[in-house]
Amino acid sequence: MIELEGVPELIDPVMVAAFEGWNDAGDAASTAVAHLDREWKGEVFAALDAEDYYDFQVNRPTVWLDGGVRKITWPTTRLSVVRIGGEKPRDLVLVRGIEPSMRWRSFCNEILGFAHELGVEMVVVLGALLGDTPHTRPVPVSGVTSDPDLARTMDLEETRYEGPTGIVGILQEACTHAGVPAVSLWAAVPHYVSQPPNPKATLALLNRLEDLIGLRIPLGELPEDARAWQLGVDQLAAEDSEVAEYVQTLEEARDTAELPEASGEAIAREFERYLRRRDPGPGQSPGGHATDSGEGSYLRDPSSGRTRPPKPPRPESTGPGPLGGAGSGPVTGSGEGAGPAGGTGSSDASPDSSEDSPDDSSED
């Protein structure tokens, strides 16, 4: 562990975590935590030692120059704190990094060590999976937990998933065994348009997180980005009759399956969110952007060369994973084993989720 600053004293803290890689389709989950960090000006206080958890042939360090001095940025996981004022102040501990390559149990124990030391009351882990969901409908977000009591009190689904899992599932189980309440929120990303970023899925995760922890989250330009993203995908789909036909099939299936969503409970949830947004409160003014930087952002103008989504098979040949291979599947269960999220997070680390050092030496 590398200490960056003194650990602050927090008020009723909730830990929110997301990891690039297998369980981060469209970079939706990691972008959501990055958004919280940016909007609330998070203060980094610790980072995990990259040497302990990462295979640098999988997640390679990057070299850069700082005033002519050569430096190396290592892949890592950072912890930051954001302080939220208002009538009922509450702090968040944000955990953002890359899914580790090894020593997952030690990795989770180290995260839990910080949670115990900081008095964290609940851990919320964000994830995103590829699924058979149309981009034209609201993004499905499921909240799951391994704690039956927590499932009842917070209107969550008790996970029954069996199969391969990622660090999201492992961390949630580690929290449960340590007696720390833990929830994972999963957003479903359309498998036929899985390229990051996906601001619509990021927005859906933040809305669900807002409902869960009872805090108004400043969204900045994220709603506008989500509308622009959907418009761009609409226009791309309209150019290909097979894609348009497939999207229509998904829409019909979704509309038929989710008629109960127009329930009194769903309407009440939306109204509560509306009331929260009427009064920003101290320290919660909107602003900022939805993505880490301008690099790799989606195209607002679809005529300017956006990569076309892959053509799906015809609807009669669909099943679990018609396009995404192991990474796609129906939006059911906890999403832990939904498969690789389009290979995100496996390339060079970005500066926002990595550790800086003046040379390439590492501590034992």
Side-chain angles (χ1 to χ4, degrees), residues 129-170:
L129 55 92
L130 301 178
D132 295 335
T133 180
H135 72 278
T136 54
R137 297 295 185 266
V139 175
V141 178
S142 56
V144 297
T145 181
S146 299
D147 186 337
D149 295 332
L150 197 61
R152 286 192 296 271
T153 58
M154 304 193 75
D155 191 26
L156 301 168
E157 178 184 349
E158 187 177 354
T159 179
R160 300 294 183 186
Y161 171 76
E162 295 179 317
T165 188
I167 194 62
V168 171
I170 298 299

Side-chain angles (χ1 to χ4, degrees), residues 132-134 137 245-260 315 318:
D132 295 335
T133 180
R137 297 295 185 266
E245 182 181 353
Y246 181 65
V247 171
Q248 184 178 2
T249 301
L250 292 178
E251 290 173 340
E252 292 171 355
R254 172 76 179 273
D255 293 345
T256 301
E258 297 198 350
L259 286 176
T318 60

